[in-house]
Every structure is written in C-alpha cells, then in structure tokens.
Amino acid sequence: MNAYIFPGQGAQFSGMGLDLYENSPLAQELFEEANKILGFNITDIMFEGSAEDLKETKVTQPAIFLHSVILAKTLGDSFKPDMVAGHSLGEFSALVASGALTFEDGLKLVSKRAQAMQKACERQPSTMAAVLGLDDAVVEKICDETPGVVVAANYNCPGQLVISGEVEAVNKACEALTEAGARRALVLPVGGAFHSPMMEPARQELAAAIENTSFNVPNCPIYQNVTASAVTDVAEIKGNLISQLTAPVRWTQSVQSMIADGASLFIEVGPGKVLQGLVKKIDRSAETTSATLEQ
C-alpha cells in the first residue's frame, strides 16, 4: 500500500517550485491562481527569494503547501494514495491532495493559520527545543516537573522529540534533560512555541475559519497528527485540525499506525527529504521515495 506524506515548516529552500512552474502548464496555472488568492506574488519569493525571505511565517507555510499540493496535482493518474499524512502544516497539503479540501480553501486556511500563529508568537516570547537520545516518557516527565509552560510538541521519531513553551521554562527543561542524559537539548531558531498551549489564541482564530470552510470525505484515510489514526469522517477531521495547533504532532505514532495498517511504500510529496529520514528511523525496513514531476 502506498502512503503519501507531506512535509511541514523547515523544508523550504530558495528556488522551490520553479521546476514545476517551468515544466507543467497545470502547475503554472495553479501558482498564478495562488498569487491571486494570497494577494501577493508568492512565486517571486519562492523562485528568487533568499532563505531569509522564505523564513517569514506568512510566506513559509503557503510556500511549502503550494510546492506539495501542486506537485501532487501534476502527478495525474499516477497519484493513487491508499493513505495520506502530513507533518503539522503538511496535514493541510494532505487534505487537499486527498480531496477533502479544495485548492483555494486549503490555501486560504494555510495563510490564515500562518498569520494567526505569527500573531500568537508576537504576543508572548516563546520557543521550541530539540531533544535527542532520551525516551519519550523521560522527556514528558521532565516537562511536567518544570515550572511554567513546557510540553512535548513533536514526536518525530524514537529518540527525537521537540519540546515547546515559554522561553524560561524551555531553557530550564533543557538543563534538566541534559542532566538526565540527553545527547542534545538544543533551542531551535523558531518564531514561537508551536503545538503548545501558547498557540491557544491562534487555535481560536483558526477554529472559526475551519468551521466556516466546507470539507469533503477524503478519497482515502488521513492519519492526523492529533490522533495518529486513520480518519475519514469530516466532523472528526475538522475537530482534529482545530486541536492540532495546541496539541502535539504524533508523527512517530502516525507512521507506526500506517505501517500496521499495511503501508509498504512512503512517498514524500514536496520540498526536501526530512520525512523519509524520520520514517527510516521509525522503521528501518520501510521503503521511502520522493514524488517527482511526470515529464
């Protein structure tokens, strides 16, 4: 069974999507439509902007979404997912690729999400840190025992967990995690504490937009970050999508569920190969590849 997986923030690179634009009339049409929907030429930033330009949250999230979704659409008949999943932002790409959301609605929600997250980040200083080489249970226990807001945010693969919360609490947790034997506990250069209670204002703002958007039953199950299980029910998809901003990304558990349900090949759709690396760390026997434009 083929599992198509869609990357999240951090996968962006300068020049992303240009090959699609130059080699596919459909891709060109969709990129131009995206410029109109967003009200600015995101293609200029994607194709010619610097790494710094691409780092801006209002650009990064739509850029990665567009690269993934437009690539999926150019695959035509060869795009036959038995199941899909996306890491954080990638969940929106997965929902559009599987037919649960239209291209336009998906892009509008991603743009809204990026702006709402940016506002939440500006409201109160917060951060995230990568923790390597400790069991999840140890990391969770130390987060629970640390004063202030700090939680497990991204379960990326065994021995790689990202924590998220208030700057001081994250720094204190990093010290305790290092003492507990973490190979590394490193504060990340991110705008704020994604997938933590600090994103509650953004969650509320995005919830209203999601509630007012019409969703369809996807043409295959989507393994959502919040539950790490197969979902096809529209109401459930919406609820999980709303919870996602303040809940952890259970990527390890999602991949394990997909394998248990018969996934034999993981195809990454979008920029980079980060997710393929994580899948291999979760299960060394899993096959992985990148989706490429059909010439």
Side-chain angles (χ1 to χ4, degrees), residues 14 26 36 59 69 87 89 164-165 172 193 216 221:
S14 195
L26 172 62
K36 288 196 190 92
V59 173
V69 167
H87 191 290
L89 156 75
S164 183
K172 281 204 174 109
N216 309 306

Side-chain angles (χ1 to χ4, degrees), residues 39-289:
F40 68 95
N41 280 7
I42 193 166
T43 47
D44 291 351
I45 307 169
M46 288 174 72
F47 304 162
E48 295 154 28
S50 66
E52 206 52 44
D53 298 331
L54 277 167
K55 244 193 209 162
E56 216 184 329
T57 299
K58 75 162 190 171
V59 173
T60 315
Q61 295 196 24
I64 292 167
F65 167 86
L66 288 170
H67 191 291
S68 291
V69 167
I70 292 174
L71 174 55
K73 287 191 178 290
T74 61
L75 297 176
D77 292 342
S78 71
F79 182 72
K80 290 194 177 76
D82 295 302
M83 52 184 85
V84 293
H87 191 290
S88 189
L89 156 75
E91 191 156 286
F92 288 82
S93 311
L95 285 164
V96 174
S98 63
L101 273 173
T102 65
F103 175 75
E104 183 173 353
D105 285 343
L107 180 55
K108 283 179 175 171
L109 285 179
V110 165
S111 180
K112 180 82 175 168
R113 179 183 192 263
Q115 287 163 14
M117 286 168 81
Q118 187 70 42
K119 268 190 265 178
C121 292
E122 285 162 8
R123 190 174 292 200
Q124 193 181 349
S126 58
T127 194
M128 301 176 86
V131 183
L132 304 181
L134 279 182
D135 282 350
D136 293 350
V138 176
V139 180
E140 290 162 352
K141 184 171 183 286
I142 286 172
C143 285
D144 287 346
E145 291 167 355
T146 303
V149 177
V150 58
V151 295
N154 293 359
Y155 293 82
N156 285 333
C157 65
Q160 188 189 320
L161 216 166
V162 176
I163 62 172
S164 183
E166 292 166 339
V167 174
E168 198 182 335
V170 169
N171 286 331
K172 281 204 174 109
C174 282
E175 285 170 29
L177 289 159
T178 305
E179 279 168 31
R183 202 164 72 243
R184 230 156 146 205
L186 186 72
V187 173
L188 298 169
V190 292
F194 307 139
H195 302 289
S196 84
M198 311 289 286
M199 285 291 122
E200 181 55 28
R203 189 195 68 77
Q204 288 175 16
E205 206 177 315
L206 189 62
I210 288 171
E211 291 296 3
N212 292 323
T213 301
S214 101
F215 282 63
N216 309 306
V217 175
N219 49 35
C220 67
I222 174 161
Y223 287 68
Q224 289 188 278
N225 294 173
V226 172
T227 60
S229 58
V231 185
T232 52
D233 179 77
V234 168
E236 208 180 323
I237 287 172
K238 279 189 170 189
N240 289 337
L241 210 50
I242 291 166
S243 302
Q244 197 219 54
L245 273 188
T246 51
V249 173
R250 299 187 181 278
W251 188 252
T252 303
Q253 298 86 339
S254 298
V255 171
Q256 286 167 339
S257 295
M258 292 166 101
I259 291 169
D261 291 345
S264 51
L265 176 63
F266 287 84
I267 303 153
E268 186 162 4
V269 189
K273 295 183 174 184
V274 172
L275 297 184
Q276 292 173 69
L278 296 180
V279 168
K280 284 286 192 193
K281 285 176 180 159
I282 294 163
D283 187 329
R284 222 174 299 161
S285 67
E287 265 192 80
T288 64
T289 188

